[in-house]
């Protein structure tokens, strides 16, 4: 059974950095298309970043491009989301997800088979 567990969220001031982790169990990270999504209060869940390790393709939402980086550690079977230059509008619950779709579907939530429970990120102004 595949399980995803996020960690690393917290409260940070605007301009600060956080690194979120998504530990994968039950399978290996390299098999999956991995994505990060977020959901702010009163808003729909939205795509943040994704990666298809098999072909090295990554994708980022315009709102986080050049500030966030998705990466992985095969030895730890973990995916990371490094977030820098954080803004109050980045405040949300962040979720990681794993699926088997191609890179063209990285932004589509329905393409993911497994989801973590989420971790809260709060950015103060």
């Amino acid at each position: 059974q595949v399980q995803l567990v996020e960690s690393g969220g917290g409260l940070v001031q605007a301009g600060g950095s956080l690194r979120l982790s998504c530990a994968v169990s039950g399978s290996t990270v390299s098999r999956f298309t991995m994505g990060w999504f977020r959901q702010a209060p009163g808003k729909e869940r939205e795509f943040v970043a994704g990666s298809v390790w098999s072909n090295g393709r990554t994708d980022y939402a315009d709102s986080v491009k050049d500030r966030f980086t998705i990466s992985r550690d095969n030895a730890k079977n973990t995916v990371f989301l490094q977030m820098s230059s954080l803004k109050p509008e980045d405040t949300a619950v962040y979720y990681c997800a794993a699926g088997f779709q191609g890179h063209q579907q990285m932004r589509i939530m329905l393409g993911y088979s497994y989801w973590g429970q989420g971790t809260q990120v709060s950015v103060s102004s």
Side-chain angles (χ1 to χ4, degrees), residues 64-77:
V64 307
K65 201 169 291 184
D66 299 325
R67 298 190 298 122
F68 290 11
T69 302
I70 186 171
S71 64
R72 66 171 173 168
D73 184 326
N74 285 339
K76 296 181 179 179
N77 214 33

Side-chain angles (χ1 to χ4, degrees), residues 49-107:
S51 185
V52 179
W53 310 121
S54 61
N55 60 17
R57 298 290 291 265
T58 59
D59 190 18
Y60 297 91
D62 288 344
S63 59
V64 307
K65 201 169 291 184
D66 299 325
R67 298 190 298 122
F68 290 11
T69 302
I70 186 171
S71 64
R72 66 171 173 168
D73 184 326
N74 285 339
K76 296 181 179 179
N77 214 33
T78 299
V79 177
F80 303 100
L81 184 68
Q82 179 67 48
M83 306 185 296
S84 59
S85 302
L86 283 162
K87 305 174 181 179
E89 51 263 44
D90 293 319
T91 294
V93 177
Y94 283 72
Y95 300 89
C96 71
F100 301 99
Q101 70 276 43
H103 66 269
Q104 298 96 333
Q105 288 83 39
M106 264 193 285
R107 295 181 175 232

Side-chain angles (χ1 to χ4, degrees), residues 1-2 8 12 36-37 54 94:
Q1 183 179 358
V2 176
V12 64
W36 285 96
F37 291 77
S54 61
Y94 283 72

